[in-house]
């Protein structure tokens, strides 16, 4: 009986489960979401003097920007710059590495503490995907986010099914 | 159903680290940086048009219930409320999106503080599915942006150990005192009055209220007397008068929330309600209950 109660509680069927302020206007919410992110991006572009969409420095910014090849960047930072299909590949690879107990590739071993970070991140992501029941969509979104993510995010929604179906 | 087997796992917690808790530099650093994480305005007057203080209370009460039902770590709720206040201080928000914001704040706070954080799906269920996981995740990014990704805010809970260890308290009462202090802190987080107070003051006031409530200060007058407040004020560099006022405010909030809880209970039981004065007298005698939240909800 106690276990039964706990199951119900776990699923949030108690009095705590409630809608406080009535229905949410989904369309309006989406509009506000896009507007909020656009504004964030504009502010970030302004602050850093960098156009995050075209990935080019803006004229007259306070910073001097220098390009770095993607392979030189720790794994953690790559996901957002690459297509999602690739990210999934990386993630799977990370899992394999963890099971076999070997280190990630040599490119990461340049700095002491960096190689571990992506691994840990990979593990967390996988755990996160296991906890909820419907994970496919949320799992995709639960990766390291970047300021440009939301623009790709729209495209990603279209891309993803195709990529995973391949 | 799969969730069940996961729940049986023990919660992994770091042991209290004396290097952190017994070093005054840590306390000083906390005191130095705590103001950075306060909401910028008393936003109901300046920023918000649709939202009113009682709605913040509603969403806060709900968040506290969720955190308790999910057995979150104590600091998750106060931290989530810090995020909520900081967001509301800069973004005009509609009433119908307030619960979404509350869920997002719990989601973030839980991820920062817990080894097994709340999942997006679970939080959506607690809103009675009025929001979707997808929306929660989208707004997570918006909230993060508005908080400038500064999530490791100082909470009143960060001060508890630093304060308690400097007070001559009986060893066997410490666990109970901590519990009461945490309860007071949670209570403060539900009340907008305290939203602009520095966390150290809320913590100090809560410790004072807990000790007085448990009547530990009256057991040995020579040791405490008026000096409890003085001692507390010294620990967190607070002014004595301000601290006194804060502690009294906390005690008043406790009284009114207890009265509310009792009224609700009485309404539920459909019994005749006694005069409110009687409630207060009883309260003075019984002092702090074992768990205020049980009554508060």
């Amino acid at each position: 009986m106690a276990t039964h109660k706990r199951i119900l509680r776990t699923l949030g069927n108690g009095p705590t489960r409630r809608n406080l302020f009535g229905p949410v206007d989904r369309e309006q919410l989406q509009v506000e979401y896009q507007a909020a992110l656009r504004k964030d991006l504009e502010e970030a572009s302004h602050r850093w003097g960098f156009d995050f969409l075209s990935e080019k420095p803006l004229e007259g910014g306070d910073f001097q920007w220098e390009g770095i090849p993607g392979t030189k960047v720790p794994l953690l930072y790559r996901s957002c710059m690459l297509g999602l299909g690739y990210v999934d590949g990386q993630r799977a690879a990370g899992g394999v590495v963890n099971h076999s107990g070997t280190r990630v590739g040599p490119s990461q071993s340049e700095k002491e503490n960096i190689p571990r970070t992506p691994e840990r991140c990979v593990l967390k992501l996988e755990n996160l995907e296991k906890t909820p029941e419907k994970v496919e969509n949320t799992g995709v979104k639960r990766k390291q986010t970047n300021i440009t993510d939301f623009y790709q995010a729209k495209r990603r929604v279209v891309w993803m099914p195709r990529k995973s179906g391949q | 159903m799969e969730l069940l087997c996961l729940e049986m796992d023990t919660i992994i917690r770091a042991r209290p680290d004396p290097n952190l808790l017994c070093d005054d530099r840590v306390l000083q650093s906390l005191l130095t940086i705590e103001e950075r994480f306060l909401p910028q305005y008393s936003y109901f007057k300046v920023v918000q048009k649709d939202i009113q203080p009682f709605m913040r209370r509603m969403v806060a009460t709900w968040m506290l219930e969720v955190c308790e039902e999910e057995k979150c770590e104590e600091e998750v709720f106060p931290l989530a409320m810090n995020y909520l206040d900081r967001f509301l201080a800069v973004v005009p928000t509609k009433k119908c999106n307030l619960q979404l914001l509350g869920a997002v704040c719990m989601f973030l706070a839980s991820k920062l503080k817990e080894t097994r954080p709340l999942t997006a799906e679970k939080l959506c269920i607690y809103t009675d599915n009025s929001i979707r996981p997808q929306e929660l995740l989208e707004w997570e990014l918006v909230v993060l942006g508005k908080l400038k990704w500064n999530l490791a805010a100082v909470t009143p809970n960060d001060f508890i150990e630093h304060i308690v260890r400097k007070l001559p308290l009986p060893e066997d009462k410490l666990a109970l005192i901590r519990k009461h202090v945490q309860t007071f802190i949670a209570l403060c987080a539900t009340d907008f009055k305290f939203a602009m107070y520095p966390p150290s003051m809320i913590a100090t006031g809560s410790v004072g209220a807990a000790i007085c409530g448990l009547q530990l200060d009256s057991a040995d007058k020579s040791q405490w007397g008026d000096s409890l407040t003085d001692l507390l004020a010294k620990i967190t560099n607070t002014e004595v008068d301000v601290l006194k006022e804060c502690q009294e405010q906390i005690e008043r909030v406790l009284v009114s929330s207890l009265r509310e809880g009792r009224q609700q209970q009485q309404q539920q039981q459909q019994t005749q309600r006694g005069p409110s004065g009687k409630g207060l007298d009883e309260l003075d005698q019984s002092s702090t209950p074992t768990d205020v939240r049980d009554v508060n909800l």
Side-chain angles (χ1 to χ4, degrees):
Chain A
M1 197 54 205
T3 339
H4 185 63
K5 256 188 189 161
R6 199 157 50 214
I7 296 170
L8 281 179
R9 289 206 127 199
T10 310
L11 296 174
N13 273 333
T16 308
R17 175 178 172 168
R18 60 183 188 264
N19 177 356
L20 297 178
F21 304 106
V24 175
D25 185 341
R26 297 229 133 76
E27 274 176 38
Q28 186 60 30
L29 193 67
Q30 229 352 273
V31 170
E32 283 171 34
Y33 164 65
Q34 296 295 344
L37 287 176
R38 204 173 302 124
K39 207 171 142 232
D40 272 4
L41 188 70
E42 273 165 26
E43 282 169 11
S45 291
H46 188 72
R47 184 180 168 203
W48 298 107
F50 192 88
D51 184 341
F52 291 97
L53 287 181
S54 61
E55 305 212 320
K56 285 194 180 97
L58 295 170
E59 295 278 323
D62 293 335
F63 299 92
Q64 197 179 335
W65 289 85
E66 217 176 287
I68 287 179
T71 46
K72 288 223 169 178
V73 189
L75 196 61
L76 177 68
Y77 295 108
R78 276 186 231 167
S79 58
C80 306
M81 299 163 69
L82 303 166
L84 237 215
Y86 190 50
V87 172
D88 277 357
Q90 296 265 14
R91 209 185 283 172
V96 172
V97 167
N98 282 321
H99 287 301
S100 58
T102 47
R103 280 282 163 136
V104 189
S107 65
Q108 268 107 44
S109 53
E110 284 164 25
K111 278 189 185 175
E112 259 181 34
N113 55 346
I114 284 177
R116 288 184 164 260
T117 324
E119 278 180 54
R120 223 183 271 162
C121 206
V122 165
L123 274 176
K124 263 191 190 164
L125 282 168
E126 281 174 354
N127 284 344
L128 254 173
E129 286 173 33
K130 271 178 201 161
T131 331
E133 281 158 16
K134 281 183 243 161
V135 265
E136 274 169 48
N137 288 328
T138 52
V140 166
K141 292 290 285 185
R142 298 291 341 116
K143 52 201 266 316
Q144 186 70 28
T145 38
N146 191 1
I147 191 90
T148 52
D149 254 20
F150 56 91
Y151 272 93
Q152 293 169 354
K154 277 204 105 175
R155 273 176 271 153
R156 223 184 268 153
V157 176
V158 187
W159 279 358
M160 248 331 273
R162 235 186 291 150
K163 289 253 171 179
S164 58
Q166 271 171 0
Chain B
M1 298 307 135
E2 290 162 37
L3 286 170
L4 264 185
C5 57
L6 286 171
E7 279 171 356
M8 297 307 162
D9 289 0
T10 46
I11 297 162
I12 303 158
R13 239 193 228 106
R15 260 176 285 171
D17 185 348
N19 292 313
L20 295 175
L21 297 175
C22 302
D23 191 332
D24 262 353
R25 288 176 302 174
V26 177
L27 177 60
Q28 291 313 316
S29 301
L30 285 171
L31 290 169
T32 312
I33 62 167
E34 65 172 345
E35 308 254 347
R36 287 184 213 164
F37 302 98
L38 289 179
Q40 284 170 304
Y41 312 100
S42 184
Y43 50 81
F44 286 116
K45 282 177 194 149
V46 192
V47 186
Q48 302 299 337
K49 293 198 178 94
D50 201 24
I51 298 178
Q52 289 176 36
F54 81 88
M55 296 173 191
R56 180 193 183 273
R57 213 187 136 89
M58 274 173 78
V59 78
T61 309
W62 171 73
M63 287 162 71
L64 181 57
E65 284 174 48
V66 174
C67 286
E68 291 192 328
E69 206 162 307
E70 290 296 322
K71 301 194 169 47
C72 291
E73 297 290 326
E74 281 293 334
E75 62 263 50
V76 170
F77 173 62
L79 187 61
M81 288 309 292
N82 171 273
Y83 298 162
L84 184 112
D85 286 328
R86 280 161 62 200
F87 184 87
L88 290 178
V90 284
V91 184
T93 305
K94 290 202 191 75
K95 177 178 81 174
C96 63
N97 297 339
L98 191 55
Q99 196 171 15
L100 168 62
L101 176 63
V104 168
C105 293
M106 280 193 281
F107 191 48
L108 288 170
S110 167
K111 281 203 274 189
L112 194 78
K113 292 288 180 186
E114 300 195 280
T115 48
R116 190 166 298 136
L118 296 169
T119 62
E121 276 213 336
K122 226 178 220 182
L123 283 166
C124 289
I125 291 173
Y126 276 115
T127 69
D128 203 14
N129 293 315
S130 64
I131 60 169
R132 298 180 191 142
Q134 178 70 16
E135 287 154 349
L136 189 83
L137 298 178
E138 287 173 352
W139 282 88
E140 180 188 21
L141 196 57
V142 177
V143 174
L144 279 169
K146 293 298 169 200
L147 299 180
K148 300 196 163 56
W149 293 77
N150 283 331
L151 294 192
V154 178
T155 65
N157 305 62
D158 293 326
F159 291 96
I160 300 176
E161 286 312 309
H162 290 282
I163 299 169
V164 166
R165 87 178 178 89
K166 293 197 174 170
L167 300 172
L169 293 166
E171 197 71 36
D172 59 321
K173 290 277 174 21
L174 280 181
L176 184 65
I177 293 168
R178 278 194 201 102
K179 179 131 181 52
H180 279 230
V181 174
Q182 285 165 343
T183 305
F184 281 123
I185 289 172
L187 192 64
C188 290
T190 59
D191 198 313
F192 185 66
K193 268 202 290 290
F194 300 95
M196 312 287 287
Y197 285 18
S200 62
M201 200 198 289
I202 292 172
T204 321
S206 296
V207 172
I211 291 172
C212 292
L214 291 166
Q215 299 184 338
L216 293 173
D217 58 332
S218 59
D220 188 358
K221 275 279 178 198
S222 59
Q223 195 177 33
W224 292 109
D226 265 351
S227 69
L228 172 62
T229 319
D230 292 344
L231 187 55
L232 283 169
K234 214 187 278 170
I235 294 172
T236 50
N237 304 330
T238 320
E239 276 181 51
V240 177
D241 291 344
V242 180
L243 179 61
K244 249 184 202 157
E245 171 59 28
C246 178
Q247 186 179 325
E248 278 161 18
Q249 229 166 24
I250 293 172
E251 283 158 355
R252 277 198 296 275
V253 170
L254 173 72
V255 168
S256 70
S257 90
L258 282 180
R259 196 189 304 152
E260 242 169 63
R262 181 169 308 170
Q263 278 173 4
Q264 269 174 17
Q265 227 171 15
Q266 281 175 344
Q267 277 166 359
Q268 276 167 9
Q269 290 166 351
Q270 305 246 315
T271 50
Q272 215 179 359
R273 207 157 58 196
S276 57
K278 194 188 155 208
L280 273 172
D281 288 344
E282 279 173 16
L283 189 89
D284 284 342
Q285 283 161 12
S286 64
S287 213
T288 323
T290 323
D291 192 342
V292 181
R293 287 164 297 185
D294 289 342
V295 192
N296 189 22
L297 301 182

